[in-house]
Amino acid sequence: MTAISPVEQAVLDHASAAPMLEQVQAWSAINSGSRNLDGLARMAALLADAFSALPGDIRLIDPAPVENVSPDGALLQIDHGRHLLLSVRPEARVRVLLTGHMDTVFAADHPFQAQRWLDDAVLNGPGVADMKGGLAIMLAALQAVETWEGRATLGYDVLINSDEEVGSASSAGLLRQRAAGKVAAFTYEPALPDGTLAGARAGSGNFSIIVTGRSAHAGRNPDEGRNALLAAADLALRLKAASGRGFSCNPARIDGGGPNNVVPDHAILRVNFRPRAPADEIAVRRLIEDSMEAVARDHEVAMHLHGGFGRPPKPMDEKAENLFNLVRRCGADLGLSIDWRDTGGVCDGNNIAACGVPVVDTMGARGGAIHSPDEYLMTDSLPERARLSALALMRIAQGHY
């Protein structure tokens, strides 16, 4: 345990005093679902105003183009909101990356739009934990660090994207660019209710497999048809049967089909894989290729693959363990017990770790039931986690990591 110095304590007090709860409630009142471009624009403007309290250059960056396969098999460009980027002291000796996302999983037409208090310290509302609470914590910690006499040694980039909940496809390049040259990174996904952090993470890949068969009359000449829907279902079963050998597989949807009296000639299988290690990605690709070849042969259909792995696996290597241990020591100095465990969930921390930068990606608020109408924020964790981030950033700058 390292005693907290009077200088550090002053910074921590500043972090605790930030109006985080008010910010969370104001930001949660704005629907910023990943496809709600108007809501995302409002959210980006509010965040740009809030983060302009920090020194440095702040910009809103246009998203990179992203294509998706429509139900009819056409490739369509998907629109995303702009991403917020702030760069402070790029010339500093120690530079870190802090990331978050402004989008939520709740669309503008989702019934979950309002906040309510579950008790005096637990707030239920869309995005309160994931991750508008995390954004408030990040800002409070950085504003506090800017009052620190040693701040000149610490430079940082802040990247808040608009598409994390849909895979960060339009911001992945920006994440790679900003990770370059950083000694460490923090991402502000929520911690578990007891404060446990996510350690190693599986990767994630999303694929759309377009199946083209041959239509025919279902009663008069069905044998002359080649059923694309049946082939897609067969492929889904084969891929799922291989699940568990270093990866999991989730066949999520089949688009296609038509009238009951027509053999369907078109289908699209949507499937997600979660590899645990880079070698498992290779195994998944081999599985997909072999299974597509076998099903195409057996059903006499054509197949086309679209998609890939957007989130590489995030191992707990030595550099990551060192950073986690720093956060644990900071927690101990604050009277917090910090632990972590592996998870199958993915986030931008996967992409950052793939750049060789150690990252703790659950530095946000304590909360739970995320991605559901029961999502909640434990409001006493706002000052707690802001102090933790501020102390960890100061210790990194002082070479304790």
Side-chain angles (χ1 to χ4, degrees):
M1 180 178 291
T2 302
I4 294 174
S5 71
V7 170
E8 290 175 330
Q9 187 61 55
V11 173
L12 302 184
D13 291 343
H14 194 285
S16 299
M20 288 174 278
L21 179 57
E22 292 89 338
Q23 289 170 330
V24 172
Q25 291 190 279
W27 294 343
S28 176
I30 297 172
N31 180 282
S32 56
S34 303
R35 303 302 183 203
N36 181 4
L37 298 183
D38 289 341
L40 287 168
R42 290 178 61 200
M43 192 68 212
L46 283 178
L47 290 172
D49 182 64
F51 278 78
S52 67
L54 298 168
D57 175 42
I58 191 166
R59 293 178 287 156
L60 292 176
I61 308 293
D62 288 338
V66 177
E67 286 186 335
N68 195 22
V69 179
S70 68
D72 65 2
L75 288 179
L76 299 179
Q77 183 163 316
I78 304 298
D79 293 329
H80 294 90
R82 292 195 292 174
H83 313 302
L84 183 148
L85 177 63
L86 168 69
S87 184
V88 175
R89 290 185 290 275
E91 75 291 344
R93 177 176 55 83
V94 177
R95 301 208 69 230
V96 298
L97 174 65
L98 300 99
T99 72
H101 62 86
M102 66 183 80
D103 63 324
T104 72
V105 300
F106 308 105
D109 59 355
H110 193 284
F112 184 38
Q113 302 293 337
Q115 303 164 35
R116 64 190 178 101
W117 287 97
L118 302 182
D119 62 35
D120 290 345
V122 180
L123 179 65
N124 164 242
V128 289
D130 186 19
M131 65 164 21
K132 290 172 181 178
L135 296 178
I137 288 169
M138 181 203 301
L139 177 58
L142 289 174
Q143 286 183 297
V145 168
E146 288 300 327
T147 69
W148 176 44
E149 61 187 19
R151 63 186 178 275
T153 61
L154 180 69
Y156 53 89
D157 285 349
V158 172
L159 175 57
I160 303 174
N161 57 8
S162 68
D163 64 342
E164 192 277 339
E165 296 292 9
V166 289
S168 302
S170 79
S171 58
L174 199 53
L175 281 164
R176 286 193 299 272
Q177 180 190 81
R178 291 295 150 174
K182 302 302 192 296
V183 300
F186 289 150
T187 294
Y188 286 80
E189 296 290 346
L192 293 177
D194 66 356
T196 299
L197 309 176
R201 291 183 182 269
S204 179
N206 292 305
F207 298 86
S208 296
I209 302 167
I210 304 169
V211 185
T212 303
R214 184 189 310 145
S215 63
H217 193 290
R220 180 173 294 182
N221 59 334
D223 291 341
E224 294 180 14
R226 297 295 179 266
N227 193 314
L229 197 70
L230 184 61
D234 186 8
L235 180 60
L237 290 170
R238 296 186 192 213
L239 295 176
K240 180 60 179 177
S243 188
R245 304 170 192 170
F247 57 85
S248 63
C249 170
N250 180 46
R253 178 172 175 168
I254 295 178
D255 295 314
N260 283 356
N261 61 352
V262 176
V263 175
D265 65 351
H266 170 77
I268 301 176
L269 171 63
R270 319 282 186 169
V271 61
N272 173 262
F273 287 92
R274 302 289 174 117
R276 296 181 181 88
D280 299 321
E281 282 192 13
I282 298 172
V284 167
R285 289 191 178 276
R286 187 180 304 116
L287 169 69
I288 294 173
E289 293 170 2
D290 292 347
S291 299
M292 286 175 61
E293 181 180 353
V295 172
R297 180 190 65 240
D298 293 349
H299 291 264
E300 298 181 4
V301 297
M303 292 191 171
H304 175 71
L305 178 66
H306 184 273
F309 287 100
R311 305 285 198 197
K314 189 191 96 172
M316 183 62 80
D317 58 17
E318 183 179 357
K319 289 196 298 183
E321 286 187 4
N322 289 339
L323 184 59
F324 272 84
N325 282 322
L326 169 73
V327 173
R328 172 181 274 169
R329 292 193 300 272
C330 290
D333 291 346
L334 294 169
L336 305 174
S337 177
I338 302 292
D339 206 349
W340 53 87
R341 69 181 191 217
D342 297 349
T343 176
V346 296
C347 73
D348 286 336
N350 291 67
N351 302 67
I352 295 167
C355 299
V357 178
V359 55
V360 177
D361 54 29
T362 36
M363 292 294 287
R366 289 186 286 111
I370 62 173
H371 295 194
S372 86
D374 297 321
E375 177 176 347
Y376 65 89
L377 164 70
M378 303 172 78
T379 58
D380 61 348
S381 71
L382 294 172
E384 167 194 299
R385 288 340 232 198
R387 290 194 297 269
L388 179 64
S389 274
L391 186 58
L393 289 169
M394 287 188 288
R395 297 278 172 86
I396 290 172
Q398 294 173 89
H400 292 209
Y401 159 66

